[in-house]
Amino acid sequence: MTGELSPIDKAKFVAAKRAAGLVEDGMRVGLGTGSTAAWLVRCLGEMVREEGLKFTAVPTSTRTAELAREVGIPVTSLDEAKWLDLTIDGADEFDRDLNLIKGGGGALLQEKIVATASDQMVVIADAGKEVENLGAFPLPVEVIPFGWQTSQALIEETLVSMDVLGRSASLRMNGDRAFMTDEGNHILDLHLHRIGNARQLALVINQIPGVVENGLFIDICDTVIIGYGDGNVEVRDINEGTVEREKLDFVETDNLFSDLSD
């Protein structure tokens, strides 16, 4: 299987495979949303079936919950679990301080709630997600549908005083309709190009009426596992200040992800 994957998909796979090894029996684990997180769910499902791994998952979206159940992972709610040992999720961008932009998959609200209700957050990503400054990827902001155009205007007005290069916001679409989150909200994508002060921007945006949450994850991620197309992985722990490198072998006959299309 892996021999047919693109280098980016190989990178996602090895990052997910390395992160799956962090999950231990009895853990309560948050499962992220997106293409890299989907590889993780498949890896964990294989460990449940073939190795007898026993843990409980709290998914961050409806589609992650559906995939987890499909591969045999027991699923519960955050209210039931109350607190998590670990959350593993992807990211659209991360910087040297492990600050993130998330929400490209539209699940930023649940992802942020689950991540902050965990002892540890681990991000899995291919090397292309690392940036010098956040902002090249559009920053998602979840807003309630009522008055969303007013919220958009207020956000764009606020951006004038922020340390960013771009100041436009667009409504995310799903075909010819506005994209809807699991909570029934809309997403505005902010085209900022570069964010000079992510912490300030996150705080200011969340004060705007109609804004539910933004996709800046500041001081939430503890570890990033970076995958490379040649099978190498790099594990950076910001709390310990450590960097570890290793290589994972591909299993060429494995068809675990043959039906995965994300």
Side-chain angles (χ1 to χ4, degrees):
M1 178 277 300
T2 51
E4 302 172 0
L5 292 177
S6 69
I8 289 179
D9 282 336
K10 288 180 182 178
K12 291 178 179 181
F13 170 68
V14 294
K17 192 73 172 176
R18 175 64 173 79
L22 300 175
V23 179
E24 301 175 358
D25 280 338
M27 277 189 169
R28 293 163 293 182
V29 181
L31 298 180
T33 297
S35 59
T36 311
W39 295 92
L40 169 75
V41 175
R42 292 283 183 163
C43 288
L44 289 171
E46 183 183 42
M47 293 169 68
V48 167
R49 295 189 306 272
E50 298 188 5
E51 302 174 20
L53 176 67
K54 291 179 170 55
F55 75 101
T56 303
V58 174
T60 57
S61 67
T62 301
R63 60 187 180 277
T64 296
E66 290 172 350
L67 179 59
R69 292 189 182 99
E70 177 186 323
V71 300
I73 298 173
V75 170
T76 190
S77 67
L78 183 59
D79 287 336
E80 184 69 25
K82 294 185 171 44
W83 194 260
L84 307 179
D85 300 288
L86 173 68
T87 286
I88 306 174
D89 203 347
D92 299 302
E93 286 185 345
F94 68 92
D95 65 16
R96 66 168 68 89
D97 297 317
L98 304 195
N99 294 316
L100 321 170
I101 285 183
K102 290 182 50 57
L108 64 102
L109 178 58
Q110 290 190 32
E111 288 173 336
K112 189 174 282 191
I113 292 172
V114 168
T116 54
S118 305
D119 287 337
Q120 184 181 23
M121 182 194 188
V122 174
V123 160
I124 49 178
D126 61 88
K129 300 296 175 62
E130 183 172 12
V131 295
E132 185 69 23
N133 294 102
L134 299 176
F137 190 91
L139 174 64
V141 177
E142 188 161 340
V143 298
I144 65 170
F146 176 80
W148 70 265
Q149 290 176 311
T150 299
S151 298
Q152 178 180 3
L154 289 170
I155 289 171
E156 291 178 334
E157 181 180 340
T158 299
L159 290 175
V160 173
S161 61
M162 295 289 101
D163 184 8
V164 295
L165 291 183
R167 297 179 176 85
S168 65
S170 60
L171 180 68
R172 186 178 297 185
M173 303 298 291
N174 182 15
D176 59 354
R177 296 185 178 183
F179 177 88
M180 300 289 285
T181 68
D182 280 356
E183 290 74 34
N185 296 320
H186 294 333
I187 286 184
L188 295 173
D189 289 310
L190 310 190
H191 306 279
L192 308 177
H193 307 301
R194 185 191 63 83
I195 300 171
N197 189 331
R199 188 184 307 277
Q200 179 191 46
L201 181 64
L203 291 172
V204 170
I205 286 178
N206 276 11
Q207 301 305 309
I208 296 173
V211 170
V212 180
E213 189 53 84
N214 70 83
L216 285 167
F217 283 50
I218 310 298
D219 297 335
I220 296 176
C221 176
D222 299 286
T223 303
V224 62
I225 299 178
I226 306 167
Y228 295 85
D230 60 359
N232 282 294
V233 293
E234 182 176 301
V235 182
R236 299 182 196 169
D237 186 318
I238 195 162
N239 299 313
E240 299 295 331
T242 57
V243 178
E244 299 177 2
R245 296 178 179 87
E246 60 187 272
K247 185 164 185 175
L248 273 65
D249 293 327
F250 291 125
V251 182
E252 298 295 340
T253 59
D254 189 359
N255 62 359
L256 184 61
F257 310 111
S258 59
D259 60 344
L260 187 63
S261 57
D262 189 328

